[in-house]
Amino acid sequence: MKLVIFGANGPTGRLATEQALAEGHEVTAVTRRPDAFPLSGARLSVVGADILNAEEVHRVVAGHDAVISTVGIPYTKEPVTVYSEGIENVIKAMRAHGIRRLVCVSSIGANYEDAPGEKFVFRKVIVPILLKMGRPLYEDTSRMEDIVSASGLDWTVVRPAGLFDATTTTDYIVSPSRHPGWFTSRRDLADVLVREAVDNRNVGARVEVITTQGVPSYFEVFKKEALHIGKK
């Protein structure tokens, strides 16, 4: 397939690009800093574009079979619109070029619901802190999800939990409802994104991804993802 990946220079975007290329797909990696993109290959095109620029998005989407968005930003207190405005540009471009398959990364923090069996310390201490710290981000990912679900395209929204780095893909869980488990490895997330786009899984659904093996502690993920301590 011919895939275009927005946010390709982020940690998850690079892994998704790497995997898609390894499977023999053609990939257009979209990033605002193409010179810094670390991957190369005969089936890879690296394009400089901003998802908030409608003309640039229209140009890079043309000629592809599916679109994957891995766009993400850190927690911030400032208003966030990159998810909702960016996906509107993507949807308009897809409609213009007759492309139907869209897979995008959101978060379990969007329209958050407790999972059955969640531990007290996570439900009553960690979740409220994270939701408060990430409120502008989660509000905009919620808006993005609503825009995607109303797009009329063949869409899938993928919701990871606390992201961490791992070296291999695990026997992860993909669930259309909240599931016990609070961590998602970026490699598992990348695998889900490619599988959803290529195999047309879970069309018209919002699914979460839960890693079940080799997960870190709450504190390790909180330190890296919320406080950005030790994060590369």
Side-chain angles (χ1 to χ4, degrees):
M1 293 182 66
K2 294 182 178 180
L3 306 174
V4 56
I5 300 179
F6 287 90
N9 208 20
T12 300
R14 288 195 295 269
L15 291 173
T17 301
E18 183 181 67
Q19 178 165 333
L21 291 171
E23 294 182 9
H25 304 291
E26 295 182 30
V27 179
T28 297
V30 184
T31 171
R32 290 180 298 171
R33 299 178 297 277
D35 294 340
F37 196 69
L39 303 178
S40 61
R43 294 184 301 275
L44 173 65
S45 298
V46 182
V47 177
D50 189 337
I51 198 171
L52 295 178
N53 186 309
E55 292 184 1
E56 293 178 352
V57 172
H58 182 86
R59 171 173 51 85
V60 299
V61 162
H64 292 84
D65 300 312
V67 177
I68 298 173
S69 175
T70 65
V71 170
I73 61 172
Y75 284 149
T76 176
K77 295 180 181 179
E78 301 300 320
V80 175
T81 61
V82 64
Y83 297 97
S84 57
E85 291 185 12
I87 210 66
E88 283 185 332
N89 289 336
V90 168
I91 290 170
K92 289 177 182 177
M94 291 178 67
R95 287 171 175 162
H97 293 292
I99 303 167
R100 294 203 51 80
R101 189 65 176 120
L102 171 62
V103 180
C104 61
V105 175
S106 182
S107 170
I108 63 168
N111 299 308
Y112 181 81
E113 297 179 3
D114 287 332
E118 283 186 342
K119 295 180 180 179
F120 178 85
V121 67
F122 188 81
R123 187 177 70 252
K124 294 297 184 181
V125 178
I126 296 177
V127 166
I129 292 174
L130 293 178
L131 291 179
K132 182 177 180 180
M133 292 179 63
R135 181 175 297 164
L137 185 151
Y138 296 136
E139 288 175 346
D140 199 44
T141 51
S142 297
R143 288 191 291 268
M144 177 192 71
E145 290 190 3
D146 292 340
I147 292 168
V148 170
S149 65
S151 67
L153 300 176
D154 298 332
W155 59 271
T156 304
V157 169
V158 179
R159 291 170 160 177
L163 289 167
F164 70 98
D165 295 318
T167 57
T168 59
T169 303
T170 73
D171 187 18
Y172 56 78
I173 293 170
V174 177
S175 174
S177 59
R178 286 289 290 122
H179 191 281
W182 307 281
F183 303 105
T184 307
S185 82
R186 290 185 173 89
R187 192 162 292 276
D188 285 349
L189 176 57
D191 187 70
V192 171
L193 295 173
V194 175
R195 296 278 60 77
E196 296 291 331
V198 172
D199 300 335
N200 278 324
R201 300 180 181 179
N202 298 298
V203 175
R206 312 181 196 203
V207 298
E208 65 176 45
V209 184
I210 299 297
T211 295
T212 59
Q213 302 166 332
V215 298
S217 69
Y218 297 137
F219 178 70
E220 288 172 336
V221 171
F222 181 79
K223 183 174 67 173
K224 287 186 177 181
E225 301 305 322
L227 304 181
H228 308 293
I229 297 174
K231 186 177 180 180
K232 297 181 180 179

